[in-house]
Amino acid sequence: MNPLAGFTVVDLSVGIAGAYCTKILADGGANVIRVEPPQGDPLRRWSASGADIPPDSDGALFSFLSCSKKSVVADPDGVRALLAGADAVLWSQGSPLHPYEIRAAHPHLTVTSITPFGLAGPWRDKPATEFTLQAWSGGIIGLGRGAPDRAPVHIGGQVGEWLAGAYAAAGTLIGRGRLVDLSMLEVNVLCLTYYPVTFFEVNGRPFRSVRSLFIPGVSTAKDGLVALGCATAQQLMDLCAMVGHPEWVDTDAPIAIFEVTTKHAAQIYGWIAEHTVAEICELATAFRIPNGPVGNGSVIPGFEQFADTFRPHPRDGFRQPRPAYRLTPDVLREPVGIEPYAAEPDSDFPRTPPDPRLPLSGMRVLDMTAFWAGPSCTHVLAMLGAEVIHLESTTRPDGTRMIAGVPMTEDRWWEKSGIFAGLNTNKKSVTINFQTERGQQLVRELIAQCNVVVENYTPRVLDQVGLGYDAVRAIRPDAIMVRMPGFGLAGPWRDNTALAYVIEDVSGLTWLTGHPDQNPVEPYTLGDPNAGLHALNGLLLALEHRRRTGEGMLVEASMAEAAINIAAEQVIEHSAYGARLDRAGNRGPVSAPQNLYRTAEPDESGGDDSWVAIAVSTDEQWSALCQAIDRPDWIAQMPDAAARRTRHDLIDKQLSLWCARRTSAEIVDLLWEAGVPVAPVLQPHRQTELEQLRARGFFETVEHPVVGSARYSTLPFRLGDEMHRRHAPLLGEHNTEVLSGLGLTADQIAALAEEGVIGDRPAW
């Protein structure tokens, strides 16, 4: 039986976010009823490449997102009748009824709302687009994205819509019987920036203060584009050795990766240009340097690792990706095309009133993850009530403890990372060196006490010490194990080093980001949280399966397949229409005009890197913009989006001159009041200045015993009052508590510390 069989969802939403949310639910077996207007869902006529869609056909993206759903046209009374027999409803702006009305009339329903800013707060009715939300969130600047001599670049591919859909699916499954009020702005904050507020307040500076390209990053090889990453000192030394210059690194001095790669950039790029993509990837893999070919919609299905990732659409035949996670046993629904709705019996899914406790109370999780992807999944569990035991070791602490730039000469430097602090509140820390025989025994005893295990090592790590899923199942048959490899548990890239930017490179996310006359630019802040979010959805389906059957499950949630799913439109468009989607700088397929424009005020450093984002997605917004900038003649000259695209260069030139004489605040005040989507390109650490985030309580203040007080981001929806109930754990802080729970005495715990199996400080 599918995990969500009998769970009925009425989809009243408009756009990709809602459609992707209900696709995730439909893949899990939910009965999704798509309510369309008489003229049909606008996505039926959508093609990002502008392909001609015959009147009797559907756009390929619509067909992909609509698999296994049922369609109906209904007036408000008909919608009310559908809701009476449903378990959940999905709503977005422009949909019939209203979430508050639906909740009042149908208190049994889970009501999930997807809006740009949330249902409440001073910005709730303000206009926005994917593009302006990225600007408001700080996501366009991100980790300093783009070369400083050009405008920064947004992340292409409408990624905010896809991420919001994945969050909405998780919120729907977790928030049973509640109002799940999701803000797309907050989704962007969490997925396109790297805990910038907490880092700034803990570490006293922005994560990155200037924009620059990562080196090597995406580079031109002899026969195409290849991506090489360099995130650690060891990777830098290996990169220098690989290109024949180990002497570039002075191992007797502090190693500054950016300084070394910048100084020798020309020689590095010269070496890359002399080799093929295959040669570089083979050599980099041998050196354990993160690497990959740069994918786009025309080539991704041909990558050997993804041989079984794509399958034909059941009705239309184009290639589409399988779901972002693989469940064992395989209980996901086999997709079928969208069908007309026919009345069915009311839902037989169990309906229980919301528990006053946090929704995941009672779950105990062994969190064997590190860095961002894995911890972002388990952090949601911890914020919503689960007991999460974060497993580290003194020989290998969580890597985010080391990226704060705090000198090792400082007392307890490993406790001073704003990134670690932001990712791990409410968790407990246990340090066990499971490379030792005694450590492995302790981990097995912990597994016996946990009903969920989450890990994101490369597959060989746990396999080598005998802690794979078969071992977990032998210890605890009902355990759910979530494994989050970079590329999968099998395949030729199985053991490749996979950091977020390489995942972005191979999946197509990088391809759509950047200026069209230059190599694409890695988003760098997307691959990890997206992987954690999809792993969370896979886990929630596994929990539903266990509730029904008592069985445990393996959830294989690879980072690459999660990224391929939110970049699915590229492969779909190429397969269906032969069209390759390409990057377009800060323009996009939805709005025209859409771009960044330099403003009059200096940036925070006194330079000229201050920008504003403007995006017009309707004719009404275009008319408002023309009136606001005193160009009413443009309304008749360019009356529709097609005409505006044809003359985009002219519009950009005039808007650039207009914005250059004004500050971003002046531009936003004027245009937003007129109804035009607009936003300053915010520096990420200034997110706390946004009154909408303050009104929704998105940031909470937490006191930490080493770094003091700072503000921490929460979730893009609220399911409880206070989400951060305790600071991120100190290294090994809960060794005694957790190991005592295994039956160890104080003397035995002290002996483990003496032997180096456990500890409370790095072992070097």
Side-chain angles (χ1 to χ4, degrees):
M1 181 179 292
N2 306 127
L4 299 181
F7 185 66
T8 298
V9 182
V10 176
D11 183 2
L12 304 179
S13 69
V14 178
I16 290 173
Y20 188 50
C21 167
T22 51
K23 178 191 180 299
I24 290 172
L25 301 177
D27 287 341
N31 175 34
V32 176
I33 304 168
R34 176 74 186 99
V35 179
E36 299 190 55
Q39 67 273 24
D41 187 328
L43 281 176
R44 287 184 183 267
R45 317 310 309 155
W46 170 256
S47 164
S49 65
D52 181 44
I53 301 170
D56 58 346
S57 298
D58 295 324
L61 183 65
F62 173 84
S63 295
F64 166 65
L65 292 170
S66 299
C67 278
S68 307
K69 300 178 185 178
K70 297 174 182 176
S71 171
V72 65
V73 174
D75 60 17
D77 287 338
V79 170
R80 292 185 182 96
L82 290 171
L83 295 177
D87 299 289
V89 60
L90 194 72
W91 184 93
S92 65
Q93 288 176 325
S95 305
L97 310 180
H98 188 278
Y100 296 152
E101 177 187 353
I102 294 170
R103 284 286 295 166
H106 304 283
H108 71 283
L109 281 174
T110 304
V111 180
T112 301
S113 163
I114 304 175
T115 60
F117 299 113
L119 291 174
W123 294 3
R124 64 183 180 275
D125 297 321
K126 293 290 190 180
T129 70
E130 158 86 16
F131 184 65
T132 61
L133 288 174
Q134 285 196 29
W136 277 120
S137 72
I140 284 184
I141 293 293
L143 293 182
R145 188 178 308 111
D149 62 335
R150 300 283 294 271
V153 287
H154 82 301
I155 301 174
Q158 302 185 72
V159 293
E161 290 273 345
W162 295 87
L163 293 163
Y167 255 120
T172 302
L173 294 176
I174 296 171
R176 299 287 174 81
R178 295 174 168 89
L179 174 62
V180 181
D181 175 11
L182 184 139
S183 158
M184 296 178 71
L185 169 63
E186 294 167 17
V187 170
N188 277 266
V189 167
L190 289 167
C191 295
L192 305 188
T193 71
Y194 198 21
Y195 299 89
V197 167
T198 307
F199 186 92
F200 184 78
E201 297 190 0
V202 167
N203 297 109
R205 58 181 175 82
F207 191 88
R208 296 192 77 191
S209 56
V210 296
R211 289 195 292 116
S212 61
L213 296 175
F214 292 95
I215 301 172
V218 176
S219 308
T220 303
K222 183 185 293 186
D223 59 345
L225 296 180
V226 67
L228 290 172
C230 197
T232 68
Q234 184 61 56
Q235 288 169 0
L236 174 65
M237 290 188 285
D238 291 339
L239 175 69
C240 294
M242 184 177 74
V243 302
H245 290 281
E247 74 280 0
W248 286 349
V249 179
D250 181 1
T251 56
D252 294 327
I255 296 175
I257 297 173
F258 181 73
E259 290 180 11
V260 173
T261 56
T262 300
K263 180 179 180 180
H264 301 288
Q267 291 161 284
I268 295 172
Y269 289 136
W271 182 90
I272 292 171
E274 295 172 353
H275 296 78
T276 66
V277 171
E279 290 169 346
I280 294 166
C281 289
E282 181 179 3
L283 195 55
T285 298
F287 274 92
R288 300 203 60 76
I289 298 168
N291 72 88
V294 178
N296 60 53
S298 68
V299 300
I300 292 169
F303 290 163
E304 56 183 349
Q305 181 62 30
F306 306 136
D308 68 340
T309 296
F310 296 91
R311 55 189 176 188
H313 182 272
R315 184 190 69 183
D316 299 338
F318 59 80
R319 283 195 284 190
Q320 64 182 31
R322 55 169 294 119
Y325 30 77
R326 304 177 185 224
L327 307 184
T328 304
D330 184 3
V331 293
L332 293 176
R333 170 186 280 162
E334 191 65 27
V336 296
I338 190 169
E339 300 172 344
Y341 171 72
E344 297 179 353
D346 286 348
S347 169
D348 61 358
F349 207 79
R351 293 176 180 171
T352 56
D355 193 318
R357 302 177 303 166
L358 286 167
L360 299 181
S361 297
M363 181 187 301
R364 197 175 204 222
V365 181
L366 180 58
D367 176 13
M368 303 173 70
T369 70
F371 286 98
W372 192 0
S376 68
C377 171
T378 55
H379 195 207
V380 176
L381 307 180
M383 285 195 282
L384 295 179
E387 179 189 7
V388 177
I389 301 170
H390 189 54
L391 182 65
E392 304 178 71
S393 74
T394 59
T395 58
R396 190 174 180 176
D398 189 325
T400 55
R401 292 186 182 273
M402 269 74 76
I403 61 174
V406 178
M408 292 187 180
T409 53
E410 284 194 21
D411 181 46
R412 292 198 287 183
W413 58 267
W414 59 90
E415 305 292 2
K416 297 180 179 180
S417 167
I419 303 299
F420 180 85
L423 265 169
N424 292 286
T425 58
N426 302 343
K427 298 182 183 180
K428 299 177 179 179
S429 172
V430 172
T431 54
I432 299 175
N433 183 354
F434 60 77
Q435 298 300 321
T436 66
E437 184 176 341
R438 182 64 176 121
Q440 293 169 24
Q441 180 183 348
L442 290 172
V443 171
R444 290 186 173 90
E445 292 174 21
L446 263 180
I447 290 170
Q449 292 192 354
C450 295
N451 46 32
V452 173
V453 178
V454 185
E455 67 88 18
N456 71 336
Y457 300 109
T458 54
R460 59 185 174 79
V461 173
L462 290 189
D463 293 348
Q464 286 174 351
V465 296
L467 289 173
Y469 177 60
D470 288 342
V472 169
R473 184 172 54 178
I475 296 167
R476 180 161 181 160
D478 69 340
I480 296 169
M481 186 176 194
V482 181
R483 303 196 66 177
M484 299 177 61
F487 294 108
L489 296 177
W493 297 359
R494 171 184 185 269
D495 293 320
N496 285 17
T497 302
L499 298 181
Y501 45 84
V502 171
I503 297 300
E504 296 162 358
D505 297 329
V506 302
S507 67
L509 292 173
T510 295
W511 181 260
L512 290 185
T513 303
H515 298 291
D517 59 334
Q518 295 179 327
N519 282 348
V521 176
E522 293 158 330
Y524 218 82
T525 51
L526 184 56
D528 279 320
N530 177 61
L533 183 53
H534 283 85
L536 173 65
N537 274 293
L539 169 59
L540 294 172
L541 293 177
L543 289 170
E544 203 53 60
H545 174 76
R546 184 169 66 188
R547 181 189 64 78
R548 289 171 176 255
T549 67
E551 294 179 350
M553 178 171 279
L554 170 64
V555 179
E556 179 189 344
S558 81
M559 296 176 68
E561 292 193 335
I564 282 171
N565 267 263
I566 69 167
E569 190 170 21
Q570 292 187 56
V571 170
I572 289 169
E573 283 276 324
H574 188 268
S575 177
Y577 309 121
R580 191 184 76 181
L581 301 182
D582 291 319
R583 57 197 169 280
N586 286 308
R587 297 179 182 178
V590 176
S591 300
Q594 173 181 296
N595 220 325
L596 298 185
Y597 305 95
R598 201 187 301 271
T599 62
E601 79 269 35
D603 61 35
E604 292 186 2
S605 303
D608 61 354
D609 201 26
S610 182
W611 305 81
V612 69
I614 299 173
V616 170
S617 56
T618 69
D619 294 342
E620 292 76 18
Q621 292 169 2
W622 172 242
S623 178
L625 175 65
C626 293
Q627 297 288 354
I629 66 173
D630 197 26
R631 288 303 307 260
D633 54 307
W634 278 3
I635 299 173
Q637 292 175 19
M638 294 171 273
D640 55 29
R644 297 194 290 273
R645 290 189 190 284
T646 300
R647 304 185 71 183
H648 209 307
D649 288 344
L650 170 66
I651 298 171
D652 281 346
K653 181 178 180 180
Q654 294 297 317
L655 279 177
S656 294
L657 293 172
W658 187 83
C659 290
R661 299 190 297 268
R662 294 165 174 84
T663 67
S664 58
E666 292 169 340
I667 296 167
V668 170
D669 287 347
L670 179 62
L671 296 187
W672 227 12
E673 186 63 30
V676 179
V678 61
V681 178
L682 195 75
Q683 288 289 338
H685 62 278
R686 296 177 58 187
Q687 293 163 351
T688 52
E689 298 175 13
L690 302 185
E691 59 177 342
Q692 180 67 11
L693 297 184
R694 291 199 300 269
R696 282 174 56 88
F698 178 72
F699 289 101
E700 295 177 350
T701 299
V702 178
E703 188 71 29
H704 187 282
V706 175
V707 300
S709 178
R711 284 172 287 190
Y712 292 70
S713 53
T714 54
L715 292 175
F717 48 77
R718 309 288 171 273
L719 297 179
D721 293 331
E722 187 180 37
M723 290 194 173
H724 298 288
R725 298 172 298 282
R726 193 181 185 284
H727 62 79
L730 306 180
L731 186 65
E733 180 179 356
H734 301 92
N735 283 346
T736 297
E737 173 190 333
V738 173
L739 295 179
S740 295
L742 298 180
L744 275 67
T745 66
D747 287 345
Q748 289 172 320
I749 294 171
L752 290 172
E754 183 69 24
E755 297 165 9
V757 177
I758 65 172
D760 60 5
R761 60 186 302 113
W764 55 84

